[in-house]
């Protein structure tokens, strides 16, 4: 956790001065494994985490949304954990001064011996040792869980330390906000359209109509959902039959957080944390947030 905090402070500083002092905004010119243009800050965040963690003696492998293949740490410096990250989520918001973040998961190496096997890298979401995220927003916050409660820490930039500001966070049982890229409506199936229409209907008892909020940085949309309740969705559509969000780097760590805060996360048909991915870059549809709202989504989406 200490190594993660050091990386977070370095990235936070860089994000806060983006636009001045150096050439850090904009594209690198390369395309990542998901076919997305890589921003300079994506690359900076990725290499900062890899650099710090690979020398920490605590991890044996690092997988990242920005790297096609895992980094395997040489045996001499390897530890017993696998670190999984989306180093800078919400890339399309970097250049417009909107909150972005880092999402991470930590798994224990499960195979004996020094070799890192595929089964170490492709573990069930529920087997995380810890999951969390850092949001670089109006303040920089770390939210994490190691399986007993969710705790939030805010960076005091004047002394460079994180302080416990949000102990034992709980998500409201039901919210009144839905969060989804509604521009995709014409490529959704009818179940998804019916679900959104349900949230828009008027019914005082169930707090409808819900408000619509969509930042387009999952980490920021999720942070609001955790604090205020409601549901964040990235459904499957005709363009992305498995959704757009990555299981290991985005869905699973946030599912771990939300469940530990009393909420739930589902593909619409199954619990996210029950999934064992078949490759490190696998995508899943995602419905995450207040328990009652995710239940409502599932009732529309299950056959
Ligand atoms: P981005 O492409 O900007 O990196 O995972 C990627 C992500 O952002 C999420 O942070 C965000 O919720 C989603 O994609 C936004 O996708 P759309 O632009 O398709 O809505």
């Amino acid at each position: 956790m200490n190594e993660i905090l050091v990386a977070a402070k370095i990235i936070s500083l860089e994000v806060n001065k983006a636009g001045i002092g150096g050439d850090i905004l904009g594209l690198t010119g390369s395309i990542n494994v998901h076919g997305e243009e890589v921003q300079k800050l994506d690359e900076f965040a990725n290499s900062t985490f890899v650099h710090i963690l690979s020398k920490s003696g605590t991890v044996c492998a690092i997988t990242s949304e920005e790297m096609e293949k895992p980094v395997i740490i040489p045996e001499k410096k390897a530890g017993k954990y696998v670190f999984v990250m989306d180093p800078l989520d919400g890339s399309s918001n970097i250049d417009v001064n909107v909150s972005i973040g880092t999402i991470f998961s930590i798994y224990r190496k499960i195979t004996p011996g020094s070799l890192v096997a595929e089964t170490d890298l492709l573990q069930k979401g529920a087997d995380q040792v810890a999951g969390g995220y850092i949001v670089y927003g109006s303040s920089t916050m770390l939210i994490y869980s190691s399986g007993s409660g969710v705790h939030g820490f805010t960076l005091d930039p004047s002394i460079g330390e994180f302080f416990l500001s949000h102990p034992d966070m709980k998500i409201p049982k039901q919210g009144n906000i839905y969060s989804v890229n509604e521009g995709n409506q014409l490529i959704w199936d009818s179940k998804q359209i019916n679900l959104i229409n349900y949230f828009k209907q008027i019914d005082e008892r169930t707090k409808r109509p819900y408000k619509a909020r969509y930042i387009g940085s999952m980490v920021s949309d999720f942070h609001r959902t955790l604090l205020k309740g409601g549901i964040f969705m990235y459904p499957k559509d005709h363009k992305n039959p498995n959704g757009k969000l990555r299981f290991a780097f985005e869905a699973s760590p946030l599912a771990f957080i939300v469940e530990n805060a009393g909420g739930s996360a589902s593909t619409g048909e199954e619990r996210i944390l029950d999934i064992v991915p078949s490759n490190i870059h696998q995508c899943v549809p995602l419905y995450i947030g207040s328990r009652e709202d995710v239940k409502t989504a599932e009732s529309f989406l299950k056959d």
Side-chain angles (χ1 to χ4, degrees):
M1 290 307 293
N2 277 334
E3 312 295 337
I4 293 171
L5 292 185
V6 172
K9 288 179 208 172
I10 294 173
I11 295 163
S12 174
L13 196 68
E14 212 58 34
V15 167
N16 282 329
K17 64 179 191 205
I20 51 161
D23 181 24
I24 194 72
L25 286 183
L27 301 171
T28 58
S30 48
I31 304 286
N32 71 12
V33 57
H34 303 279
E36 300 157 344
E37 293 176 309
V38 178
Q39 306 265 345
K40 289 179 190 162
L41 264 174
D42 281 328
E43 202 169 83
F44 177 82
N46 191 66
S47 56
T48 301
F49 271 102
V50 170
H51 184 77
I52 292 177
L53 284 162
S54 57
K55 291 188 167 49
S56 68
T58 55
V59 304
C60 57
I62 302 171
T63 61
S64 164
E65 186 183 306
E66 295 302 333
M67 302 187 297
E68 187 176 358
K69 299 209 165 105
V71 171
I72 305 293
I73 312 300
E75 199 182 334
K76 265 198 317 206
K77 285 190 185 148
K80 58 183 177 192
Y81 296 103
V82 175
F83 188 71
V84 177
M85 64 169 164
D86 177 354
L88 209 58
D89 175 68
S91 312
S92 60
N93 280 319
I94 293 176
D95 286 357
V96 292
N97 205 355
V98 171
S99 302
I100 47 184
T102 298
I103 309 175
F104 64 88
S105 260
I106 301 168
Y107 291 88
R108 210 180 298 277
K109 179 177 176 347
I110 46 177
T111 55
S114 57
L115 269 189
V116 176
E118 207 167 66
T119 41
D120 294 316
L121 304 175
L122 301 174
Q123 295 191 47
K124 188 171 160 181
D127 292 339
Q128 284 172 77
V129 173
Y133 62 91
I134 299 134
V135 57
Y136 312 104
S138 46
S139 59
T140 294
M141 282 191 77
L142 163 80
I143 314 294
Y144 94 104
S145 176
S146 54
S148 53
V150 174
H151 307 290
F153 299 79
T154 304
L155 177 65
D156 180 340
S158 59
I159 58 165
E161 282 300 345
F162 281 91
F163 286 94
L164 179 64
S165 50
H166 296 62
D168 201 14
M169 298 169 84
K170 296 278 178 240
I171 186 169
K173 252 193 172 148
Q174 191 196 341
N176 65 346
I177 300 175
Y178 73 90
S179 185
V180 71
N181 184 346
E182 227 168 328
N184 288 335
Q185 175 151 355
L186 293 183
I187 53 172
W188 289 341
D189 65 20
S190 57
K191 294 177 191 171
Q192 175 65 29
I193 295 174
N194 292 341
L195 170 64
I196 299 301
N197 287 341
Y198 171 84
F199 286 136
K200 290 176 178 173
Q201 283 160 8
I202 301 168
D203 177 40
E204 225 172 273
R205 191 185 57 82
T206 50
K207 304 190 201 169
R208 291 178 293 152
Y210 276 24
K211 295 176 201 168
R213 294 283 185 277
Y214 189 69
I215 298 167
S217 290
M218 184 195 182
V219 86
S220 318
D221 279 313
F222 177 78
H223 189 60
R224 182 200 56 248
T225 307
L226 181 64
L227 293 174
K228 297 198 165 175
I231 183 166
F232 170 84
M233 300 162 257
Y234 208 107
K236 61 182 179 189
D237 57 44
H238 299 333
K239 244 179 25 197
N240 304 296
N242 294 316
K244 175 187 177 189
L245 300 176
R246 276 54 58 142
F247 168 79
F249 308 123
E250 293 165 318
S252 172
L254 298 187
F256 190 75
I257 293 283
V258 86
E259 283 204 5
N260 275 288
S264 36
S266 164
T267 62
E269 289 171 3
E270 68 175 312
R271 179 181 175 233
I272 292 287
L273 291 183
D274 282 341
I275 295 174
V276 181
S278 52
N279 78 72
I280 58 176
H281 293 282
Q282 180 178 325
C283 291
V284 283
L286 181 65
Y287 297 82
I288 188 166
S290 296
R291 198 183 301 165
E292 289 303 318
D293 293 318
V294 175
K295 216 196 260 174
T296 299
E298 283 180 328
S299 71
F300 276 82
L301 299 163
K302 277 188 180 159
D303 280 328

